[in-house]
Amino acid sequence: MTSPYDIEEIFPDDAAETVRLPRRQAGSSPQGLTVTLLADYTLRNRAWLPSAAIVALLAEAGVSQAGARTAISRLARRGVLEGSRQGRRSSYRLTPAAAGFLSVGGSAIVSPVVAEPWDERWTVLAFSLPRDQAAQRRGLRAQLRWMGFAPLYDGLWVSPRRFTGKAREQLAAFGATMTVFQGRHLDLATGTGRSPLDAWDTAAIAGRYESFIATWRPVLPRQRAGRISGPEAVRARTGIMDTYRRLPILDPGLPSRLLPPGWLREPARDLFVAIYDGLAPDAQEHVRAVAAACTGEPLSGIGAHTVAELAAGLPA
């Protein structure tokens, strides 16, 4: 069984032709933190941030000045950021391609899972691609995971969701030979068969939810008591988004009857919304203050969005 935590497969470097977002890692990389930071406060308007402000904000998250400048430079080379210079002062903002990618992806990540009736029918998809088309293969596998599929065998993927016209359009661009069919699973009772549910390691995913809640729950009472400063609000808000964004992708959104009792998807999301939205005002003011200190004047367009606004789709 392919691990559900193969982050490089879910977000391959060549997943998009015009923009290469940084690989998702086990921890938070400087490039990943930079992208999250700019998305959290500039995605709505693609506002410019002085490079000195980005470096200062990353320093508050423990990234060295050299590491921050290297991250900015690499993101610019990858087509994630575009730069502007006025005299000795440089500024950066998200490129249109990166903003569009983050807006669509962010909406998918933070939107609540809508429970649909399940008729116990599985969608089974088999595909074949030539060995010399490795990039297309990685891209197809990434797309299938986004759509809620998982590999029961190498070239045989399953999902409890219906195969819609939209799904057909999403997969058409990959040029793979595919066969799709739907049906109920029959238990062979031989001891050697595999259930479609075996495609997901639900115990491992549940452990990720437990770890997320254990890490972030202690922040909530301090936030509600107003005991979190502006710099800490930015760090916490960036950190919780950088951590939470992995969970909805790892969680396949299986029907509730297929999940272990006490599934923590909703408690984890509720905690994320409470902290991310609750820290928004203080974090926004701190980002504005740091940016203004680097320019000597207030900058327009810098603003935090809520989870609901991101889920509804921010203009990019």
Side-chain angles (χ1 to χ4, degrees):
M1 177 177 63
T2 301
S3 167
Y5 306 117
D6 189 352
I7 302 299
E8 291 184 9
E9 176 183 285
I10 297 173
F11 292 98
D13 267 352
D14 47 16
E17 295 180 357
T18 57
V19 56
R20 293 172 60 207
L21 292 177
R23 290 183 178 184
R24 271 55 171 182
Q25 301 177 357
S28 296
S29 70
Q31 289 186 64
L33 288 174
T34 304
V35 171
T36 301
L37 182 67
L38 267 75
D40 280 344
Y41 304 99
T42 71
L43 183 58
R44 189 194 308 277
N45 301 305
R46 288 181 56 236
W48 293 95
L49 269 183
S51 60
I54 300 173
V55 171
L57 290 166
L58 289 174
E60 293 176 349
V63 179
S64 69
Q65 185 175 101
R69 295 196 180 280
T70 297
I72 294 170
S73 176
R74 288 177 176 173
L75 289 170
R77 289 200 301 269
R78 299 171 82 138
V80 179
L81 301 181
E82 59 185 13
S84 173
R85 180 174 288 277
Q86 293 182 338
R88 299 179 61 184
R89 188 168 63 212
S90 60
S91 298
Y92 288 87
R93 68 178 180 179
L94 296 167
T95 62
F101 191 94
L102 290 165
S103 180
V104 173
S107 177
I109 286 170
V110 304
S111 294
V113 175
V114 178
E116 297 181 356
W118 188 51
D119 60 2
E120 299 186 4
R121 293 167 64 88
W122 294 87
T123 297
V124 183
L125 184 148
F127 70 86
S128 176
L129 276 169
R131 291 185 178 276
D132 60 352
Q133 296 183 14
Q136 291 92 323
R137 184 181 182 85
R138 289 195 298 271
L140 174 58
R141 291 169 71 95
Q143 181 63 47
L144 287 171
R145 288 195 183 276
W146 271 100
M147 295 166 60
F149 282 85
L152 187 60
Y153 301 101
D154 183 45
L156 189 72
W157 290 58
V158 295
S159 171
R161 304 177 187 179
R162 290 174 295 173
F163 194 76
T164 62
K166 181 180 179 180
R168 202 174 277 111
E169 293 173 4
Q170 290 173 325
L171 296 176
F174 290 95
T177 300
M178 299 184 193
T179 300
V180 181
F181 49 94
Q182 293 180 310
R184 290 181 169 84
H185 171 246
L186 297 178
D187 190 351
L188 299 178
T190 62
T192 59
R194 297 190 70 196
S195 162
L197 193 57
D198 291 338
W200 294 274
D201 189 344
T202 54
I205 298 171
R208 286 292 185 98
Y209 277 129
E210 292 169 359
S211 176
F212 176 84
I213 291 172
T215 298
W216 291 101
R217 182 179 282 159
V219 175
L220 201 54
R222 295 181 58 244
Q223 171 203 313
R224 289 172 173 167
R227 299 203 308 267
I228 295 181
S229 64
E232 187 181 355
V234 174
R235 288 197 304 273
R237 201 165 181 266
T238 302
I240 197 168
M241 172 60 85
D242 203 48
T243 307
Y244 180 81
R245 66 182 179 179
R246 295 162 171 82
L247 297 177
I249 299 156
L250 302 178
D251 185 333
L254 295 170
S256 57
R257 74 177 75 175
L258 297 177
L259 294 169
W263 193 246
L264 295 174
R265 177 195 298 142
E266 290 306 316
R269 186 179 187 277
D270 291 346
L271 179 62
F272 165 68
V273 172
I275 293 176
Y276 188 79
D277 287 358
L279 292 176
D282 289 337
Q284 172 182 277
E285 289 310 307
H286 182 66
V287 172
R288 288 176 175 176
V290 171
C294 295
T295 61
E297 58 186 17
L299 293 179
S300 62
I302 299 174
H305 52 253
T306 64
V307 171
E309 289 170 335
L310 184 57
L314 293 173

